[in-house]
Amino acid sequence: MTGAKTQPPAEVVLFADGACSGNPGPGGWAYILRHPKSGKEREASGAEPQTTNNRMELTAVIRGLAALRRPTTVEVVTDSVYVGKGLSEWLPKWKANGWRRREGRHFKPVKNEDLWRELDQLLSRHTVRFTHIRGHSGHPENERCDALAVAAYQKFLPRQ
């Protein structure tokens, strides 16, 4: 084969976590993006006054992927089974069914459809694989993301 070779996209690891005080309640999200070859890291977090844990888990992944400036191969590391199954199993079915999910013999709207659609757009730009880890099991990056997410929503808690 002749011609110029294109370089494969950079490999990064995205650690992501969401947290909520109540469900629904004040919630936070956080991510750490790591480029293993260079050792560079970037972290960010944010919060919403009234949300759910699943929305914060999704938001953490969305914000992390959105921070990437070019198409990238990404390993998403999260303790969220919801995000993992959504990425690897549910999303293709939801899209094929017009963003509806089967519940018994009926179809119902996909929960958090706005965020799943946003994530779907980002997935079209990046090559993503999912790795599930146990939450609160001492995984350093997951613990860091959890601490950042919890700290982010503190401003929405009532003062004692």
Side-chain angles (χ1 to χ4, degrees):
M1 189 164 135
T2 60
K5 281 188 172 181
T6 58
Q7 278 198 292
E11 181 83 29
V12 299
V13 181
L14 169 60
F15 302 95
D17 199 21
C20 247
S21 178
N23 198 22
W29 56 267
Y31 70 79
I32 300 169
L33 271 173
R34 178 179 295 150
H35 187 260
K37 280 189 178 178
S38 69
K40 289 185 181 180
E41 283 190 1
R42 176 181 181 180
E43 63 182 39
S45 61
E48 295 182 16
Q50 190 68 13
T51 188
T52 65
N53 191 67
N54 283 344
R55 288 188 69 81
M56 293 295 91
E57 297 280 4
L58 281 167
T59 299
V61 174
I62 289 166
R63 296 293 180 99
L65 291 175
L68 299 170
R69 293 190 184 106
R70 59 188 170 92
T72 306
T73 300
V74 183
E75 178 183 8
V76 174
V77 180
T78 178
D79 62 8
S80 173
V81 173
Y82 176 70
V83 171
K85 284 194 175 206
L87 287 173
S88 59
E89 297 175 30
W90 303 332
L91 194 57
K93 293 175 190 170
W94 291 337
K95 288 172 62 175
N97 290 323
W99 291 97
R100 294 174 301 153
R101 62 186 171 83
R102 185 177 294 279
E103 195 171 291
R105 288 186 276 151
H106 304 284
F107 281 101
K108 301 224 173 172
V110 169
K111 293 178 182 176
N112 303 311
E113 180 182 339
D114 58 329
L115 296 178
W116 284 112
R117 283 180 178 264
E118 193 173 348
L119 183 55
D120 185 48
Q121 286 294 312
L122 291 163
L123 293 174
S124 71
R125 286 189 2 218
H126 305 292
T127 302
V128 177
R129 69 179 180 266
F130 164 71
T131 300
H132 180 260
I133 56 166
R134 285 191 46 183
H136 309 288
S137 63
H139 187 282
E141 293 84 0
N142 182 255
E143 297 292 341
R144 174 74 179 145
C145 286
D146 182 63
L148 289 168
V150 169
Y153 74 62
Q154 294 296 309
K155 64 185 173 190
F156 295 120
L157 294 178
R159 300 285 180 226
Q160 303 267 340

